[in-house]
Amino acid sequence: MNDAGSALTRFDFTSGLQRGSHLTLYPTCLVHRGDSHLETMPLATITSVRVSYERGTSFIGWCIALLLVAGLMYLAAAPLAGVAAGAASELAAAGNHGVARSLAGVFRVVEGLANALPLGALVAALAGIAFGVMGWLGNTVLTLTFAGAERVFPVRGRNTSLLDFSEAVSERLMQAKR
């Protein structure tokens, strides 16, 4: 026999770690159901409900770091290639001996790597921009606090339907008999 009653509201996770699962609010409990798990949380055991929108500061930090690295790589590419090319041509003009030829080869490799630095800078800049976008979008986080435990449900971006769901849980929590 099911005495939980009919569902009051429901929130579906469409992306992120909880994708494919949903939270359902009943008059006396909150149920988190997925394809491979079921968790029932009685409202009487929940001590607080918190929902917040948080920007991803670590992602933004990585964005800044990668953009700085990209700038340094781009600025260092041309001078490094010029120095390596000059040194290789000087060694080639000095003679065609074994050590000089090997050292000239090393400088040609350094020149080739320096010529590839702008491509590496582009990759670092694109990765930095991607991290910046992810950090700027942030997460909407629903946190349920129990006596000695906490359950966190993050959703990518600013999600107003999770905010509405948390308001319904809060209202029901205030009505619950303790």
Side-chain angles (χ1 to χ4, degrees):
M1 179 167 166
N2 186 3
D3 61 349
S6 62
L8 301 175
T9 186
R10 175 180 162 147
F11 178 78
D12 294 316
F13 292 98
T14 57
S15 64
L17 296 174
Q18 307 289 340
R19 179 181 51 228
S21 66
H22 60 272
L23 286 169
T24 307
L25 176 63
Y26 292 97
T28 59
C29 63
L30 183 64
V31 176
H32 182 218
R33 182 184 305 260
D35 291 336
S36 60
H37 70 279
L38 172 69
E39 179 181 16
T40 303
M41 298 163 272
L43 292 179
T45 62
I46 298 174
T47 57
S48 73
V49 176
R50 180 177 63 234
V51 65
S52 63
Y53 172 71
E54 303 165 355
R55 297 221 189 265
T57 55
S58 63
F59 282 125
I60 293 173
W62 277 106
C63 166
I64 293 168
L66 283 172
L67 290 177
L68 287 174
V69 166
L72 291 174
M73 288 171 64
Y74 187 75
L75 290 175
L80 184 60
V83 167
S89 62
E90 283 180 24
L91 285 172
N96 211 4
H97 303 295
V99 173
R101 191 175 356 163
S102 297
L103 197 52
V106 168
F107 281 123
R108 291 289 178 205
V109 169
V110 170
E111 179 187 7
L113 291 174
N115 287 329
L117 277 179
L119 179 62
L122 176 65
V123 169
L126 291 175
I129 290 169
F131 278 128
V133 167
M134 288 174 53
W136 189 257
L137 287 177
N139 288 323
T140 303
V141 181
L142 171 66
T143 306
L144 303 173
T145 307
F146 302 93
E150 198 173 72
R151 276 294 268 128
V152 178
F153 299 95
V155 177
R156 171 75 46 208
R158 188 182 299 265
N159 193 312
T160 55
S161 57
L162 184 60
L163 180 65
D164 294 339
F165 180 81
S166 67
E167 285 179 14
V169 171
S170 296
E171 288 173 6
R172 192 66 198 162
L173 192 61
M174 286 186 282
Q175 295 172 358
K177 295 177 184 176
R178 301 244 175 216

